[in-house]
Each structure stands twice: as C-alpha cells, then as structure tokens.
Amino acid sequence: MRVEIGKVIVGQQDVVDLLLLGLLCRGHVLLHGVPGLGKTLMARTLAKTLDLQFKRVQFTPDLMPSDITGTDVIEEQEGGGGHRLKFVPGPIFTNFLLADEVNRTPPKTQAALLQAMQEHEVSIGNTTYPIELPFFVVATQNPIEMEGTYPLPEAQVDRFMFNIRVRYPTVAEEAAIIRGTTGSQTVEPHSVLSSDDLLRLQEIVRSVPVSDDVVHYAARLVNATRPLRTDKGDRAPIEAIEKYVTYGASPRAGQALILAGKAKAVLEGRYHVDFADVKSLAHPVLRHRLVLNFHGRADNVDSDDVIDKLLATVREEDE
C-alpha cells in the first residue's frame, strides 16, 4: 500500500503511515491543513489501494443530515395498491467515506456522522440500519480561522482516532509535485487489499500483546491531561495543564493510544507495544481532545506545546 500510494503522493510519509494505522485500528482520521496540500488526494489514493466501496461527500453550508444518512421516500406500489415508505440510503452506507472539508457545514449536519462512526449504524425514523464493515471515515478540515468554517462539536472531534496535521512540502518535494502533475502522463495506484484481508488484519492488530506497564503509562498520560479543578486526582499538578487546559482527553484517548501502538508495532515487525510507541502517537491522538482556554490563545500556545510538556513530565514507570 505504501508503494502504491507513493506513486501519487510525494513525501508526507508520516501522514500516510498514520492513515494506515487508523485503517488497521478501525478508527477514523481527521486531516487538518490549509487548502492545496493534497489532503483529498491522499484519501482518494488510499481508497484506490483498497478493494472497497468508496464514496465522497463535499460538505457545504447548505448540506442537510439526510443528504448524508439517506431518507424515507414515498413510493407508489405496483398495481395501484397505494403508497409505501421506502428507505433510500445515503453515501454514509459505504466502506470508505471521504468527508471533504467537514467543517464547512453547520454542526447539525456534522452530527449526522456521530452514530455511524461509533456504533456502525444509522437510525432513520423508527428503524436502525447497520453499516457493513469495514467502515472507515477520513475527514479533511481547513484551519478554523479561515472564512466560512464552523467549529467541530467536541463529541464529533472525539470520535476521530487521529488529528493529523498536513504540513507544507519541502522545496524538493514541491518541485517533484510540479514535475509530476504538469505533464501528460498520469500514474494510477492499484488495488492491493480486499475487504476480507483488511478485516483479518484488523483482528490481528487487536491480538497484539501489551504489558500492564505500558497500559498504565497510557492511562496516566491521558489522566494527566485533565486539570485538577475538573478531575480531583491525587497526582501532582502540571503547570501547563492547569494554566492552559479547560478540559482534558476522554477515555477514548487511552484506547486509541494502545490500539494504535499495537498497529504501529505490527507495521514495524514487532510483536509487542513499548513506551516509545505510545509517546510517538501522543500528538495525533491527544491534540484534538484538549480544550484550551483563553490563556493559551493569549500566550500563543497550542495543544502540541502542552503535549510536549506532558510527555516531559509524566514518567514511564509509575512511582
């Protein structure tokens, strides 16, 4: 899959690896970056390497929840037997959903993804319809300070396993992009993984062993993101958390740290999770789950700065 994606995507190897980790963990991924960095192209290219059903939704201010989930329509029965309600499924009934520019639609429409991302089902009226596995959502997001965007609700953000920041390419990478996209020849990736293969790999990831010490480290790391004024723990206060954070990460963060650590170990040919795996995944797992206060904005501190302080403070071994 890396080879096939590399035929189209120049650089961005860290982003590609995190996309693969999210896919193997049955998680969902939020790609964050300014327009033009190839976020949509990365998601579409990843989808082409998979023999899965793929659908794309362009989120706009006038998009309605039923445009995503589907709706009941009145259908006339044959032979003049009256009318009946028929459910017409929306694009969310797929294996791989690309939610493009998800923060350009109001929270009411964003919420249409909540049940599907967590429970793999959609409720319409009095009926609940299951979504066939595997189910993987990749959402792209523009920086919130740009015109025409809406903040993502905290409940929506928390359902994304990773928040991946897509950076600008280097000069050499940008030159390669220009050369590869301004000629007459185009390269298409090939499908290398079927639905059954992916489901089997997802089960293998979950069977990777992890020691109690690593689990406790991940739990203490997540617990330390919560200010003592909201979580009355017996640990020592961490200055950056107490000063800049209003609310910390939910238990989903600990689950994501360990599960992603298992997938990372498998991709690197190891059979166990260690402390380094948890540390390397702390930023994409935690950055969107920390709610910073006005002190953070005033001091020009973002969630990555707070996570750096957290990793430097929380020890691997429980004291």
Side-chain angles (χ1 to χ4, degrees):
M1 290 178 69
R2 283 172 173 157
V3 170
E4 294 299 321
I5 293 171
K7 293 179 180 179
V8 179
I9 303 300
V10 177
Q12 305 288 6
Q13 192 57 56
D14 291 343
V15 178
V16 171
D17 284 348
L18 286 171
L19 282 169
L20 294 178
L21 291 181
L23 183 67
L24 292 174
C25 294
R26 297 178 186 164
H28 308 290
V29 173
L30 183 63
L31 295 176
H32 186 279
V34 299
L37 295 183
K39 301 184 298 296
T40 301
L41 180 61
M42 269 187 267
R44 292 184 66 91
T45 303
L46 174 62
K48 288 179 180 179
T49 68
L50 302 166
D51 187 17
L52 303 177
Q53 187 181 28
F54 170 78
K55 291 182 181 177
R56 175 183 183 273
V57 178
Q58 180 65 50
F59 280 66
T60 56
D62 60 345
L63 194 71
M64 298 297 291
S66 58
D67 295 330
I68 301 172
T69 60
T71 188
D72 289 322
V73 298
I74 298 177
E75 182 182 64
E76 185 175 358
Q77 298 188 35
E78 296 182 2
H83 299 81
R84 65 176 181 180
L85 282 177
K86 176 184 177 182
F87 176 64
V88 178
I92 202 167
F93 289 90
T94 187
N95 299 125
F96 191 125
L97 178 68
L98 171 57
D100 211 3
E101 295 186 308
V102 68
N103 61 329
R104 289 200 178 276
T105 196
K108 176 181 74 172
T109 304
Q110 295 173 18
L113 297 172
L114 289 176
Q115 183 182 12
M117 291 173 67
Q118 186 65 31
E119 285 93 26
H120 302 143
E121 60 187 23
V122 174
S123 295
I124 305 293
N126 295 323
T127 307
T128 299
Y129 301 91
I131 295 177
E132 183 180 351
L133 295 178
F135 179 63
F136 183 50
V137 176
V138 174
T140 67
Q141 177 184 0
N142 295 324
I144 205 66
E145 64 271 10
M146 298 187 70
E147 293 286 340
T149 59
Y150 298 83
L152 294 179
E154 295 305 321
Q156 174 72 72
V157 170
D158 197 37
R159 280 166 169 78
F160 287 101
M161 186 174 200
F162 296 139
N163 180 337
I164 306 173
R165 290 186 175 175
V166 184
R167 312 289 185 181
Y168 284 109
T170 64
V171 173
E173 290 171 345
E174 196 153 359
I177 292 170
I178 294 170
R179 281 194 298 269
T181 56
T182 55
S184 59
Q185 293 184 342
T186 58
V187 180
E188 288 292 328
H190 296 99
S191 173
V192 295
L193 205 64
S194 70
S195 174
D196 290 340
D197 292 335
L198 179 57
L199 289 172
R200 197 156 49 243
L201 287 172
Q202 290 174 343
E203 288 297 327
I204 290 173
V205 165
R206 289 178 173 265
S207 66
V208 173
V210 54
S211 70
D212 289 342
D213 288 340
V214 175
V215 171
H216 280 286
Y217 174 64
R220 286 186 289 107
L221 201 61
V222 172
N223 182 263
T225 65
R226 302 161 190 157
L228 288 178
R229 61 181 177 273
T230 62
D231 180 73
K232 302 299 182 182
D234 56 358
R235 52 184 165 77
I238 299 174
E239 181 181 0
I241 299 296
E242 302 302 321
K243 184 176 181 180
Y244 297 124
V245 177
T246 302
Y247 294 102
S250 74
R252 282 198 187 101
Q255 295 170 335
L257 283 172
I258 294 302
L259 196 54
K262 291 183 175 186
K264 188 173 186 294
V266 168
L267 286 182
E268 294 179 358
R270 292 181 284 108
Y271 303 99
H272 66 281
V273 184
D274 58 28
F275 295 109
D277 294 321
V278 174
K279 290 179 179 179
S280 67
L281 295 162
H283 289 85
V285 168
L286 296 175
R287 65 164 57 105
H288 55 300
R289 293 183 164 97
L290 303 184
V291 180
L292 304 188
N293 55 30
F294 68 93
H295 290 297
R297 293 189 291 272
D299 291 349
N300 199 27
V301 171
D302 66 8
S303 55
D304 279 4
D305 298 324
V306 176
I307 295 168
D308 289 338
K309 296 286 187 183
L310 198 68
L311 291 172
T313 304
V314 178
R315 300 172 61 87
E316 294 178 358
E317 302 295 337
D318 195 2
E319 295 179 354

Short mmCIF file of all heavy atoms in Angstrom, two decimals, residues 1 7 21 31 81 162 305:
data_model
loop_
_atom_site.label_atom_id
_atom_site.label_comp_id
_atom_site.label_asym_id
_atom_site.label_seq_id
_atom_site.Cartn_x
_atom_site.Cartn_y
_atom_site.Cartn_z
N MET A 1 0.83 -1.20 0.00
CA MET A 1 0.00 0.00 0.00
C MET A 1 0.87 1.26 0.00
O MET A 1 0.56 2.24 -0.69
CB MET A 1 -0.93 0.00 1.22
CG MET A 1 -2.03 -1.04 1.15
SD MET A 1 -3.07 -1.06 2.62
CE MET A 1 -3.90 0.50 2.45
N LYS A 7 3.22 6.27 -5.52
CA LYS A 7 3.18 6.59 -6.95
C LYS A 7 2.51 7.92 -7.22
O LYS A 7 2.78 8.57 -8.23
CB LYS A 7 2.43 5.49 -7.71
CG LYS A 7 3.13 4.14 -7.73
CD LYS A 7 2.28 3.12 -8.48
CE LYS A 7 2.96 1.75 -8.53
NZ LYS A 7 2.10 0.75 -9.24
N LEU A 21 -2.41 3.36 10.02
CA LEU A 21 -2.67 2.95 11.40
C LEU A 21 -4.15 3.09 11.73
O LEU A 21 -4.76 2.19 12.34
CB LEU A 21 -1.85 3.80 12.38
CG LEU A 21 -0.34 3.60 12.39
CD1 LEU A 21 0.31 4.51 13.42
CD2 LEU A 21 0.02 2.15 12.67
N LEU A 31 -7.87 14.93 8.81
CA LEU A 31 -6.71 15.57 8.19
C LEU A 31 -6.90 17.08 8.26
O LEU A 31 -7.88 17.61 7.74
CB LEU A 31 -6.56 15.13 6.73
CG LEU A 31 -6.24 13.65 6.47
CD1 LEU A 31 -6.23 13.38 4.97
CD2 LEU A 31 -4.92 13.26 7.09
N GLY A 81 -51.78 -0.22 -5.69
CA GLY A 81 -52.05 -0.67 -4.33
C GLY A 81 -51.74 0.34 -3.25
O GLY A 81 -51.53 -0.04 -2.10
N PHE A 162 -7.35 9.96 15.17
CA PHE A 162 -6.19 10.83 14.96
C PHE A 162 -6.62 12.18 14.40
O PHE A 162 -7.56 12.26 13.60
CB PHE A 162 -5.21 10.21 13.94
CG PHE A 162 -4.57 8.93 14.35
CD1 PHE A 162 -4.42 7.89 13.45
CD2 PHE A 162 -4.10 8.75 15.64
CE1 PHE A 162 -3.82 6.71 13.81
CE2 PHE A 162 -3.51 7.55 16.02
CZ PHE A 162 -3.37 6.53 15.11
N ASP A 305 2.12 22.08 22.05
CA ASP A 305 3.04 22.58 23.08
C ASP A 305 2.71 21.97 24.44
O ASP A 305 3.61 21.60 25.20
CB ASP A 305 2.96 24.11 23.16
CG ASP A 305 3.38 24.78 21.87
OD1 ASP A 305 4.31 24.27 21.22
OD2 ASP A 305 2.77 25.81 21.51
#
